[in-house]
Amino acid sequence: MVGSVLTQNTAWANVEKAIANLKQRGLLDLDRLAAMPPSRLATIIRPAGFFRLKARRLLSVLRWLRSRSGFPGVLGMPTETLRHELLACNGVGPETADSILLYALNRPVFVVDSYTRRILFRYGLLQGDENYPAIQSWFHRCLGPNVELYNEFHALFVRLAKKHCRARAMCQGCPLS
Ligand code: SF4
């Protein structure tokens, strides 16, 4: 959940450094983290970039989670309600909310990111002007609700976009070529 917020507009390697800083200080704990002053949290997560903004966003999500009595409290909540409440947190858009739903809460919600769009557009499956809900519904219709499959599918899109379908496509050796 922390990673989903910190990874906004940042490479994952930088997020890992920020999470390592939190771990080192024993701060990957809901109550301790949610109680932190924003300025102190910002200093610790600095490697993730946009650290002041992300500190505020992270605290917003953590305080929401605490208001729901933490993970035990949200486990039984309907996915649509969770998504609605996550989207109401500061700085949480559909991609962040859905990453939390899929990767932290095991809900069958497909995550659409810029890599997904790029690959599908180049592969000829998107026109390029489809919005987030349209792309997500297409995956939901084609794949059916399946947490493990969505989890792996998104991870493979990320990997493909980093290895081959980069800003400048490196098609040689790409499995989709
Ligand atoms: S890198 Fe692969 S997915 Fe991207 S345009 Fe080339 S063949 Fe298509």
Side-chain angles (χ1 to χ4, degrees):
M1 192 173 264
V2 170
S4 296
V5 174
L6 296 188
T7 200
Q8 294 174 339
N9 302 308
T10 308
W12 184 253
N14 298 328
V15 177
E16 284 181 335
K17 288 179 197 158
I19 290 179
N21 284 350
L22 291 168
K23 266 190 192 158
Q24 262 174 16
R25 292 163 176 79
L27 286 170
L28 279 185
D29 169 270
L30 178 58
D31 289 331
R32 291 194 67 195
L33 206 48
M36 288 206 71
S39 56
R40 171 97 181 100
L41 180 58
T43 309
I44 297 171
I45 63 166
R46 193 182 188 105
F50 305 102
F51 48 95
R52 288 189 192 90
L53 183 69
K54 287 182 181 176
R56 286 199 300 275
R57 291 179 173 181
L58 186 51
L59 286 172
S60 173
V61 172
L62 295 171
R63 285 167 186 168
W64 162 76
L65 184 60
R66 207 166 51 167
S67 77
R68 285 293 186 183
S69 306
F71 275 98
V74 297
L75 287 180
M77 286 174 65
T79 301
E80 272 315 305
T81 309
L82 282 171
R83 193 172 193 269
H84 182 74
E85 294 191 5
L86 279 167
L87 287 171
C89 293
N90 177 6
V92 173
E95 187 185 331
T96 304
D98 292 341
S99 296
I100 291 171
L101 288 168
L102 179 63
Y103 288 101
L105 300 173
N106 290 320
R107 303 302 174 105
V109 176
F110 201 90
V111 178
V112 177
D113 65 356
S114 55
Y115 295 147
T116 311
R117 286 175 184 278
R118 182 200 291 166
I119 293 165
L120 293 182
F121 175 70
R122 287 178 176 168
Y123 203 70
L125 290 170
L126 286 184
Q127 302 295 315
D129 56 358
E130 293 87 348
N131 61 20
Y132 190 105
I135 300 172
Q136 186 182 55
S137 318
W138 181 71
F139 276 104
H140 288 175
R141 274 199 314 277
C142 293
L143 300 177
N146 187 325
V147 171
E148 288 75 25
L149 183 62
Y150 291 2
N151 187 317
E152 182 69 359
F153 218 123
H154 177 69
L156 290 173
F157 270 133
V158 172
R159 186 155 147 194
L160 186 75
K162 290 194 168 168
K163 204 166 172 198
H164 291 284
C165 209
R166 301 160 72 120
R168 188 163 169 211
M170 298 169 68
C171 301
Q172 197 172 6
C174 172
L176 296 191
S177 68

